[in-house]
Amino acid sequence: MSALPQHLDIHLIRILYLLLVEKNVSRVALKLNQPQPSISASLRKLRELTGDALLVRGARGMVPTQHGESLLRPAKRILDEAESLFIKKSPFVPEEAAPTFHIAAPDYLDSQFLPNVVAALRRGAPNSRVIIHSLGPGVDYLRMLSDGDMDLVIANWDEPPPHLHISKLFEDPIVCTMRADAPYARRTAADAMTVDDYLALPHVAPSPMVPGYVGVIDAFLERQGLRRKVAVESPYFGLIPYMLTQTDLVLTTGRQFLRYYEKTLALKTFSVPVKFPPMRFYQLWHQRVHQSPEHKWLRDQVSAAARALPK
């Protein structure tokens, strides 16, 4: 095993990482507030140290070589670990701090949950900034958590990634609902739906949030050897209850989510004849923020909002 070069410093590794991410010497110079010739000289030094070009010209600018791509993750890990050496353990004072919190959540949560989280953050840390991210097939939340572009993910997937930290928030029993004057609703009692009825009715379902993942309802049915008839798929979960009011569609979701819409829309809710386990919501975060005082405070506010939900 060869010895490390004596003059390999953290700043040079930061330049390596940024060059591989930005693929542009000028942009790296701007980010680091250094003259472009200085960054070009560092790239030459890095090429000498690695014995590789690292960046070469492509059709639309510079692109990393294969060896350059292989250095991206080790460089990021070294920078993260070096940064953790000097994290000040000063207490977090939410009333005085001005953090920016990035939270990703689905739109089929209880209608009061996220508003209550935001209200708690505004009360506790009035100088904070809160950015709510949607979850969908195009959102690489694992990378965003790892890179620090996201602080917290609220989800209810069957199998959350094992390398992330997890804290349970609340459970939501599953029911199904439809327009109160739909033909099936008029002739059937709320607790008289059969499995055959349920599977044969036309369902509306949310679009998959993660590529290749069908969602907790269809995943459970699949494990039981059952399949429902999904007639409509929509990425806009908050609009689905309104779709019910003009159609014969059936929505299967959490009881808490429906509470608000049952007050404002003419819906009839049924006990589902399939014994679904309740939806289990939790918050997920990466090891990089696990010990951070401000992120611990954030997670505490989210947990408190979950505990305050009506049972």
Side-chain angles (χ1 to χ4, degrees), residues 130-150:
V130 182
I131 300 174
I132 308 293
H133 297 260
S134 62
L135 285 173
V139 178
D140 187 353
Y141 74 95
L142 289 175
R143 181 198 62 76
M144 293 178 77
L145 285 171
S146 174
D147 288 357
D149 298 325
M150 194 177 286

Side-chain angles (χ1 to χ4, degrees), residues 49-125:
L49 290 170
T50 61
D52 188 85
L54 299 176
L55 288 173
V56 295
R57 294 206 173 277
R60 302 182 192 174
M62 304 293 279
V63 294
T65 63
Q66 185 176 26
H67 184 61
E69 286 184 346
S70 75
L71 298 179
L72 185 60
R73 291 181 69 179
K76 179 70 165 63
R77 186 171 63 249
I78 290 168
L79 292 173
D80 286 344
E81 290 176 353
E83 186 179 345
S84 70
L85 291 173
F86 306 105
I87 292 176
K88 292 182 180 178
K89 293 294 184 181
S90 56
F92 173 64
V93 183
E95 297 83 2
E96 300 172 4
T100 297
F101 295 122
H102 291 263
I103 304 170
D107 67 345
Y108 51 80
L109 290 166
D110 180 285
S111 61
Q112 290 305 302
F113 178 63
L114 269 183
N116 288 349
V117 169
V118 171
L121 297 179
R122 295 297 302 144
R123 283 194 304 270

Side-chain angles (χ1 to χ4, degrees), residues 102-295:
H102 291 263
I103 304 170
D107 67 345
Y108 51 80
L109 290 166
D110 180 285
S111 61
Q112 290 305 302
F113 178 63
L114 269 183
N116 288 349
V117 169
V118 171
L121 297 179
R122 295 297 302 144
R123 283 194 304 270
N127 299 316
S128 65
R129 185 171 180 232
V130 182
I131 300 174
I132 308 293
H133 297 260
S134 62
L135 285 173
V139 178
D140 187 353
Y141 74 95
L142 289 175
R143 181 198 62 76
M144 293 178 77
L145 285 171
S146 174
D147 288 357
D149 298 325
M150 194 177 286
D151 301 312
L152 204 60
V153 169
I154 297 166
N156 72 323
W157 302 311
D158 273 349
E159 297 180 7
H163 71 284
L164 296 179
H165 291 274
I166 183 170
S167 171
K168 293 178 182 176
L169 293 175
F170 60 89
E171 293 188 349
D172 198 0
I174 290 176
V175 294
C176 69
T177 192
M178 66 183 74
R179 195 177 88 238
D181 62 349
Y184 183 86
R186 285 202 306 267
R187 69 172 185 265
T188 310
D191 59 353
M193 182 183 287
T194 67
V195 173
D196 287 342
D197 289 344
Y198 176 77
L199 297 177
L201 286 165
H203 291 257
V204 54
S207 302
M209 286 196 157
V210 180
Y213 176 64
V214 297
V216 293
I217 302 298
D218 291 297
F220 182 83
L221 289 173
E222 198 173 284
R223 290 195 295 271
Q224 311 306 309
L226 302 174
R227 186 184 182 89
R228 61 177 175 164
K229 188 172 106 180
V230 176
V232 175
E233 204 176 89
S234 171
Y236 307 112
F237 202 88
L239 296 180
I240 289 179
Y242 298 97
M243 296 179 194
L244 304 180
T245 63
Q246 302 179 63
T247 66
D248 58 348
L249 293 169
V250 177
L251 170 63
T252 304
T253 189
R255 177 84 221 175
Q256 288 185 341
F257 172 80
L258 283 178
R259 271 202 314 253
Y260 168 79
Y261 296 98
E262 286 175 326
K263 295 175 186 174
T264 57
L265 303 176
L267 301 176
K268 180 175 178 179
T269 298
F270 287 80
S271 300
V272 184
V274 180
K275 294 192 180 300
F276 290 109
M279 288 185 177
R280 295 180 174 90
F281 288 90
Y282 43 76
Q283 52 183 335
L284 297 168
W285 65 95
H286 195 272
Q287 175 65 28
R288 65 183 301 282
V289 298
H290 185 57
Q291 300 295 339
S292 164
E294 68 185 58
H295 288 89

